[in-house]
Amino acid sequence: MLDRVQVPDGRAQRIGKLAAYDGLMLEATGFNQPIGAGARIITADGASARAEVVGFRGNRTLLMALDGDAPHASGARVEPFAGGNMADVGPGLLGRVVDALGAPLDGLGPIATVERWPLAGQQSNPLDRGRVTEPFDIGVRAVNALLTAGIGQRIAIIAGSGVGKSVLMGQMIAGADADVVVVGLIGERSREVSDFLATKLAGKIRQKSVVVAVPADHAPLLRLRAAMRATAIAEYFRAQGKKVLLLIDSLTRVAHAQREIGLSLGEPPTAKGYPPSALGLIPRLCERAGADTRSGGSITALYTVLADGDDTNDPIVDAARAIVDGHIILSRALGEQGVYPAIDVGRSLSRVMPDCVTPDHLAAAAMLRRLWSAYEENRDLILMGAYQPGGDATIDDAIARRQDILAFLKQAPGERIAFAESKAALIEGFGQ
């Protein structure tokens, strides 16, 4: 017979038993709980380990551990655990660092929260999503001038490893004109979490920031929940009418976590081993950002995407590029030349820029991009000396202005250049 326990309100709750465990997935009998429900498993040493329902197989419930390795034993009690699919939110989160379950990591004591928000977000009417028509000052000259971000835009920062994604994110955080900054550090090295807090969230910016951090050695479900929790916190502040900057570093690690979960559940691998759920997760997560016409608040989101082997046609890169409102591609070749941020102007794009800037700004940006593309398309001929000056006026101009363009793109990590200053410099240097 199945065990039952008495809960405080007098109702009986059914208790299941652990039937199988393969190191990642747990199977329980007699535990009829819905997808996303929380569970607590009593381990062999008398402690408890937390898990979440992720699927079913016949009359067995499939769970994934939240607490890492634990000494599970066959027949262990599996108890319901409420609140697994909700995030505690409130102004008390500002200035704090939490993990995927909302527990504080900064040693500053408990967090006073006032409300709860669904981790998976709230369904919204597409017509409540506002248009992106107002520029968002990001503090980086190349982005402000050539890839102007808008309030409520979703942007993917795409690059291989070690090309400067995190440094560019730090510049954007320091220079962003936002009421609240929410950062999700997901699947990165533990050292990078403390380094990010010390170098990129130092000073006054820390007081208006919330950080959700889950390093790479944590369970895949925790990495997935960290991205959902960071987005849920951003949604809460947007509902309060705030202008929120959301940064997820990195979206690829979130997709990797979903890949581990999907393959464990028996999903068929498709492109590069990613199951359908991993590719489907990206639009579900990214679509939660944007401007809200009801509250007047907005979430401007930046997602870093790791291009494995510098392959910008990777399935995750393609899926992210297709759903966001713009993408910034970082070039390893530029980084090797000492150009930072190493933004590949020709391959990067802001889809909302025409709606956010003036005609003279747009024309100057188009001129710089034209010169950039002319040089890149003829780079081999130019470097070999096969191109003869005077053959094409645009190429001649591109060669003459090359150093000016590279100087315009360069910016020191601690330097902030406002939108107005970026626009003026662009029009002065490359306007008609």
Side-chain angles (χ1 to χ4, degrees), residues 134-136 151 177-181 237-238 241-245 296-300:
E134 186 179 346
F136 185 92
I151 295 176
D177 179 18
D179 300 321
V180 176
V181 177
F237 284 109
R238 177 179 62 185
K242 303 293 186 182
K243 185 161 61 171
V244 182
L245 177 65
S298 64
I299 299 175
T300 304

Side-chain angles (χ1 to χ4, degrees), residues 412-424:
E415 185 181 8
R416 184 188 188 280
I417 301 177
F419 176 78
E421 184 181 348
S422 304
K423 173 185 174 180

Side-chain angles (χ1 to χ4, degrees), residues 30 86 89 95 120 124 143 153 172-173 200 202 206 210 218 224 227 327 347 376 379 394 420:
M86 301 293 288
V89 293
S124 62
V143 178
Q153 184 179 5
M172 291 178 169
I173 291 174
K200 300 176 178 64
R206 181 72 176 271
V210 184
H218 285 53
L224 183 58
H327 54 271
R347 299 167 65 198
E376 292 299 320
R379 167 185 285 273
T394 302

Side-chain angles (χ1 to χ4, degrees), residues 131-337:
R131 293 185 63 227
V132 180
T133 58
E134 186 179 346
F136 185 92
D137 189 352
I138 215 83
V140 178
R141 179 171 53 209
V143 178
N144 278 340
L146 304 172
L147 305 164
T148 306
I151 295 176
Q153 184 179 5
R154 290 86 46 87
I155 305 170
I157 303 174
I158 303 167
S161 58
V163 186
K165 296 186 300 299
S166 296
V167 174
L168 180 57
M169 276 185 62
Q171 283 184 290
M172 291 178 169
I173 291 174
D177 179 18
D179 300 321
V180 176
V181 177
V182 181
V183 182
L185 299 176
I186 300 158
E188 300 296 334
R189 294 177 286 274
S190 297
R191 175 193 61 79
E192 289 188 338
V193 176
S194 56
D195 182 72
F196 192 94
L197 295 174
T199 62
K200 300 176 178 64
L201 281 181
K204 294 181 179 179
I205 189 72
R206 181 72 176 271
Q207 301 308 311
K208 63 176 184 179
S209 302
V210 184
V211 178
V212 182
V214 176
D217 59 344
H218 285 53
L221 193 56
L222 287 176
R223 284 176 264 145
L224 183 58
R225 286 172 67 100
M228 298 173 68
R229 182 172 293 274
T231 307
I233 293 170
E235 287 177 319
Y236 164 76
F237 284 109
R238 177 179 62 185
Q240 309 303 309
K242 303 293 186 182
K243 185 161 61 171
V244 182
L245 177 65
L246 170 66
L247 302 102
I248 301 293
D249 185 15
S250 75
L251 191 63
T252 304
R253 306 300 187 197
V254 179
H256 286 176
Q258 183 60 45
R259 177 171 63 181
E260 293 182 49
I261 296 170
L263 293 177
S264 298
L265 289 170
E267 282 190 68
T270 55
K272 284 200 174 180
Y274 289 101
S277 63
L279 300 178
L281 169 69
I282 293 174
R284 291 203 310 273
L285 193 64
C286 295
E287 274 296 294
R288 293 169 61 180
D292 186 356
T293 58
R294 295 170 301 174
S295 66
S298 64
I299 299 175
T300 304
L302 299 170
Y303 303 96
T304 66
V305 182
L306 177 65
D308 291 329
D310 290 340
D311 179 12
T312 54
N313 293 317
D314 180 84
I316 298 302
V317 174
D318 269 345
R321 190 163 43 197
I323 196 65
V324 295
D325 307 309
H327 54 271
I328 299 172
I329 294 181
L330 302 185
S331 165
R332 188 176 301 276
L334 283 175
E336 291 169 349
Q337 297 172 33

